[in-house]
Amino acid sequence: LGSIRCYCLKALTIASERQQHRVQHGPCSYTFILPEVEHCRPLKDIQVTNTLQSDSPPEPESDTSQTKQSKSQKERPSWQERKLQSLESAMENNTQWLQKLENFIQENVRSGMEEIKRTAVHTQTAAMLEMGTNLLSQSAEQTRKLTDVETQVLNQTSRLEIQLLEYSLFTNRLEKHILLQTQEISRLSDKNSFLEQRLLALEGRYGRELKGLQSEKQQLQELLERQSQLVSQLQSELGSSSLNSTLMQRQQAMLTDTVQQLLAKASHCNEISNMPEEEPLSFKDCAEILRSGVKESGIYSIRLHNSTQTVKVFCDMKTRGGGWTVIQHRRNGSVDFHRGWRDYKMGFGEPSGEHWLGNDIIHKLTSSQDYSLHVQLRDREGNEAYSHYDHFYIDGEDNNYSLHADSFSGTAGRTSSLSHTGCQFSTKDRDNDRCTCKCAQLASGGWWFEACGPSNLNGIYYPASSSVVRYNSIKWYYWKGPNLITTMTTMMVRPANF
Ligand SMILES: *[C@@H]1O[C@H](CO)[C@@H](O)[C@H](O)[C@H]1NC(C)=O
Ligand SMILES: *[C@@H]1O[C@H](CO)[C@@H](O)[C@H](O)[C@H]1NC(C)=O
Ligand SMILES: *[C@@H]1O[C@H](CO)[C@@H](O)[C@H](O)[C@H]1NC(C)=O
Ligand SMILES: *[C@@H]1O[C@H](CO)[C@@H](O)[C@H](O)[C@H]1NC(C)=O
Ligand SMILES: *[C@@H]1O[C@H](CO)[C@@H](O)[C@H](O)[C@H]1NC(C)=O
Ligand SMILES: *[C@@H]1O[C@H](CO)[C@@H](O)[C@H](O)[C@H]1NC(C)=O
C-alpha cells in the first residue's frame, strides 16, 4: 500500500483540481485524489502527456525508450505499436486497480458514513424519543383535560336538556291551563252577552217606570209647593199671634210689677205695725216667738219666767208645727259631753251646734207651765225616729233634777227608753243612780241613770264609721238596742197645750 500511495502521489500531484478524499483510520490518514472521468476516457487514445510518461517510476528506461521510440516511430512502427499496447494494458491494469481501490475506498467510506449516520441517528432518535415521550405525556394530559371538559360539557348539556324538558312540560301545562281559561272566558263572554241582553231589556222596563215615577214626582212637587205656601201662610199667622202673645206677656209683667210693689208696701206696713210690739216683747219660749209670726228656725233670746235672765236658745220652727225650744242637741261629736255636775247645771256648748241648755234653765222652763218633750233621733243610715212625752218637767237642784216624763208615744221604740219618774240626775262627780256602780262614769256624760238604764243621749258620740258596740256610747235602747249609732239627737220642749 505504501508504494501505491507514493505512486499515486507522484502520478497525480498535478491534478490538483481533481476530487480529494481524506480518510482517517486510527493513527493513519489517507488522502485520495480521484481521477476525472473525462480524463480517463482518452486513455485509449494515442496521445499521452509527456509528464505522465516521464513520471512513471517503475520503468524509467522504458519510458525514456518510449520517447526514443516515438522519435524512431517513423522508422519502426511495429515496436512502437507493441510498446503502445503494453502501455495500454498497464494503463488498463492501473485503472482496474484504481477502480478496485476506489471500490474499496467507497466501501470503507460508506461503512464509516453509515456508522456516523447510525450514531447520529441513535443520538437523534434518543432525543427524538425523549421529545416524543414528552409530547406523548403532554398529549395524554391534554387528552385527559379534554375528556374532563368533555364530561363537564356533557353534564351541562344533560342538565340543560333536563331543564329544557321540565320547561317544555311546564309550558305544556301552561298551554293546557290557558286553553281551559280561554274556554272559560268564551263561556263567560257568552253569559255576559246574555246578561247584557237581559240588562238592556231591564233598562227599557226601568226607563218606562222611571218616566212614570218622574211624572209622579212632579205631581208631588206641585203638591209640596202648595203645602209650603200653606205653611208660610200659617207661619205669618203664627208670627202675628206671637206678637200678640208678647204684648200679653208685657202686660203680665207690668201687672206682676204692680203686684210686687203692692206687696212691698204691705210688708212695710206690717213692719211698721210690728216694730213697736217687738221691742218690749220678751218671749218665754220658742212657742211664743212662733206665735208672734216668726217662722224661721234659728237662735232666739227668751226670758225665763219670773226672772230678768235672758237665755239664747235654738228654736225649731219646722218639726210638727214648730215652736220647739231645744234643750239638747248633738250632731257631730264636736263638743265633749263627759262633764261634771256644774257644767250640766249651767249648760254648755253653743245653741247653733252641739248644746246642753243647762239643768237650772230646763227646770225653770218646764216648771213654769206644762210642757211636752220631743226626742228626735237619726241613725247613721239616715233613718229618723222620735219619742214623744206629753208631760215633762224636772225638779230643781235640791231634788237632784229628778225626771218627770209620761204619756209616751213615738216611733223610736214601742216602750219609753227614758227612766221612770223621779229618777235623779247623775254626773261623773255626782252619783245619784240606783246602781252600786257609778253609771255616769261607766256610761259617761250626765243623765237620769236608773240602774244605768236603757238610755243615755249624753254618752260618747262615736263616728258613723265605727261599728263596734260600746257601753258608753249614745243609747236609746228600745229603738235600736245597744247597737244604735246616731248621727243626730235633739231634745226639745214645747208647751203641752200648743
Ligand atoms: C497486468 O496484471 C496481470 C495480473 O494481475 C499481470 O499478470 C500482468 O503482467 C500485468 N501487466 C502489466 C503490463 O503489468
Ligand atoms: C354533574 O355534576 C354534578 C356536580 O357538578 C354532579 O353532582 C352530577 O352527578 C353530574 N351529573 C352527571 C350526569 O354527571
Ligand atoms: C192680634 O190682636 C189683634 C188685636 O189686637 C186682633 O185683631 C188679631 O186678630 C189678633 N191676631 C191673632 C192671630 O190672634
Ligand atoms: C213667779 O210668779 C208667780 C206669779 O206669776 C208667783 O206665784 C211665784 O211665786 C213666782 N216665783 C218666783 C220664784 O218668784
Ligand atoms: C260640728 O258642727 C258645728 C256646727 O255646724 C261646726 O261648727 C263644727 O265644725 C263641726 N265639727 C266637726 C268636727 O265636724
Ligand atoms: C242629791 O244628791 C246628793 C248627793 O249627790 C245627796 O246627798 C242628796 O241627798 C240628794 N238629794 C235628794 C233629795 O235625794
Side-chain angles (χ1 to χ4, degrees):
L1 261 161
S3 60
I4 293 165
R5 179 194 167 198
C6 298
Y7 170 71
C8 282
L9 278 168
K10 278 182 183 169
L12 301 170
T13 41
I14 307 157
S16 60
E17 295 170 359
R18 293 182 186 173
Q19 273 191 315
Q20 284 186 8
H21 288 278
R22 188 179 289 261
V23 176
Q24 188 78 27
H25 190 78
C28 285
S29 69
Y30 308 93
T31 306
F32 299 95
I33 302 167
L34 298 176
E36 297 271 314
V37 182
E38 291 167 65
H39 293 283
C40 287
R41 268 172 203 163
L43 274 173
K44 284 170 186 172
D45 299 338
I46 305 161
Q47 291 174 337
V48 181
T49 54
N50 289 333
T51 51
L52 188 69
Q53 279 176 333
S54 62
D55 281 352
S56 20
E59 293 145 317
E61 290 168 13
S62 65
D63 215 1
T64 51
S65 65
Q66 201 178 352
T67 51
K68 281 169 188 171
Q69 279 166 2
S70 64
K71 280 171 187 170
S72 61
Q73 212 170 5
K74 285 151 193 178
E75 305 132 27
R76 285 173 227 172
S78 60
W79 182 77
Q80 281 177 332
E81 276 174 8
R82 265 184 276 137
K83 190 88 176 178
L84 202 69
Q85 276 175 352
S86 71
L87 275 169
E88 273 176 6
S89 68
M91 276 293 283
E92 252 175 86
N93 249 4
N94 276 341
T95 51
Q96 277 174 6
W97 190 80
L98 275 171
Q99 270 178 349
K100 275 185 192 171
L101 197 67
E102 198 182 334
N103 284 338
F104 175 77
I105 287 160
Q106 274 179 349
E107 265 175 46
N108 266 357
V109 165
R110 214 183 297 151
S111 69
M113 286 292 280
E114 272 171 9
E115 223 173 309
I116 288 160
K117 269 186 190 168
R118 229 181 290 145
T119 52
V121 162
H122 261 295
T123 52
Q124 274 187 0
T125 46
M128 290 296 281
L129 276 171
E130 261 186 36
M131 276 171 67
T133 47
N134 280 344
L135 282 169
L136 272 172
S137 59
Q138 278 181 9
S139 62
E141 232 174 290
Q142 293 284 343
T143 47
R144 220 187 310 134
K145 280 181 188 171
L146 272 172
T147 47
D148 281 358
V149 168
E150 215 180 350
T151 48
Q152 277 180 7
V153 166
L154 277 172
N155 190 345
Q156 293 282 346
T157 47
S158 61
R159 260 200 289 166
L160 282 171
E161 274 173 4
I162 290 162
Q163 279 185 0
L164 211 70
L165 267 172
E166 280 171 5
Y167 279 131
S168 65
L169 278 170
F170 189 66
T171 46
N172 272 347
R173 260 187 288 158
L174 272 175
E175 276 173 5
K176 276 184 200 163
H177 210 76
I178 286 161
L179 263 173
L180 282 173
Q181 295 273 350
T182 46
Q183 283 174 5
E184 190 102 333
I185 285 163
S186 61
R187 249 191 298 150
L188 282 171
S189 64
D190 285 356
K191 256 190 179 175
N192 205 14
S193 58
F194 175 69
L195 283 170
E196 272 178 3
Q197 283 175 3
R198 276 188 69 180
L199 197 74
L200 276 171
L202 282 171
E203 270 180 2
R205 200 137 50 90
Y206 282 126
R208 266 171 272 142
E209 282 180 20
L210 201 73
K211 273 178 197 166
L213 282 170
Q214 274 174 346
S215 61
E216 271 181 38
K217 192 184 157 191
Q218 275 182 347
Q219 286 175 2
L220 281 170
Q221 272 179 341
E222 283 163 20
L223 240 169
L224 199 75
E225 276 169 23
R226 262 180 280 156
Q227 296 268 353
S228 59
Q229 279 173 4
L230 260 169
V231 166
S232 57
Q233 279 178 9
L234 283 169
Q235 274 179 343
S236 60
E237 281 174 30
L238 198 76
S240 57
S241 68
S242 67
L243 264 171
N244 280 9
S245 70
T246 47
L247 273 169
M248 283 169 81
Q249 274 177 350
R250 254 179 246 158
Q251 282 175 359
Q252 201 186 352
M254 275 161 66
L255 275 169
T256 47
D257 272 1
T258 48
V259 166
Q260 273 176 354
Q261 279 171 5
L262 281 169
L263 277 171
K265 274 177 188 169
S267 63
H268 189 64
C269 288
N270 275 345
E271 276 167 25
I272 289 162
S273 62
N274 279 345
M275 272 202 0
E277 279 177 29
E278 213 166 48
E279 275 289 317
L281 255 180
S282 57
F283 303 106
K284 66 178 170 100
D285 57 21
C286 293
E288 278 193 358
I289 297 171
L290 182 73
R291 265 192 233 105
S292 77
V294 176
K295 302 257 180 338
E296 296 290 322
S297 297
I299 298 155
Y300 297 91
S301 289
I302 55 168
R303 193 160 58 184
L304 295 172
H305 184 63
N306 276 3
S307 160
T308 53
Q309 185 191 3
T310 56
V311 181
K312 282 194 185 289
V313 293
F314 189 87
C315 292
D316 183 348
M317 304 302 199
K318 294 279 180 289
T319 305
R320 295 175 130 231
W324 294 100
T325 306
V326 173
I327 60 170
Q328 190 261 18
H329 183 61
R330 305 190 73 178
R331 69 166 91 175
N332 59 10
S334 59
V335 173
D336 177 23
F337 272 68
H338 193 45
R339 290 170 184 252
W341 186 265
R342 193 179 154 70
D343 281 351
Y344 273 98
K345 172 184 161 79
M346 304 305 291
F348 54 84
E350 288 294 322
S352 59
E354 295 203 318
H355 187 219
W356 181 256
L357 186 59
N359 286 339
D360 277 342
I361 299 165
I362 296 168
H363 159 69
K364 279 179 187 164
L365 190 66
T366 56
S367 59
S368 65
Q369 69 176 97
D370 193 10
Y371 272 87
S372 62
L373 171 69
H374 192 80
V375 178
Q376 188 78 30
L377 302 169
R378 188 194 297 153
D379 67 6
R380 64 173 168 189
E381 280 86 31
N383 304 312
E384 288 210 5
Y386 70 91
S387 289
H388 189 83
Y389 301 87
D390 285 342
H391 306 287
F392 165 77
Y393 72 98
I394 61 171
D395 292 327
E397 189 176 15
D398 46 357
N399 267 324
N400 293 333
Y401 308 118
S402 297
L403 177 71
H404 303 270
D406 55 38
S407 300
F408 165 77
S409 65
T411 55
R414 282 181 291 174
T415 311
S416 169
S417 294
L418 265 184
S419 302
H420 293 294
T421 292
C423 182
Q424 294 185 352
F425 200 80
S426 294
T427 57
K428 60 184 178 184
D429 52 349
R430 291 281 290 269
D431 180 30
N432 298 322
D433 57 37
R434 292 177 195 163
C435 179
T436 50
C437 62
K438 290 184 173 174
C439 289
Q441 286 181 10
L442 275 175
S444 86
W447 195 248
W448 300 275
F449 298 107
E450 217 157 28
C452 294
S455 66
N456 176 17
L457 295 186
N458 293 335
I460 304 282
Y461 187 100
Y462 285 109
S465 57
S466 170
S467 59
V468 184
V469 178
R470 289 172 213 264
Y471 190 73
N472 59 2
S473 68
I474 293 168
K475 190 161 66 173
W476 200 255
Y477 185 82
Y478 290 113
W479 183 33
K480 289 279 167 104
N483 295 328
L484 173 65
I485 290 170
T486 53
T487 56
M488 197 216 35
T489 69
T490 309
M491 295 170 74
M492 46 198 185
V493 294
R494 185 172 71 178
N497 60 0
F498 184 80

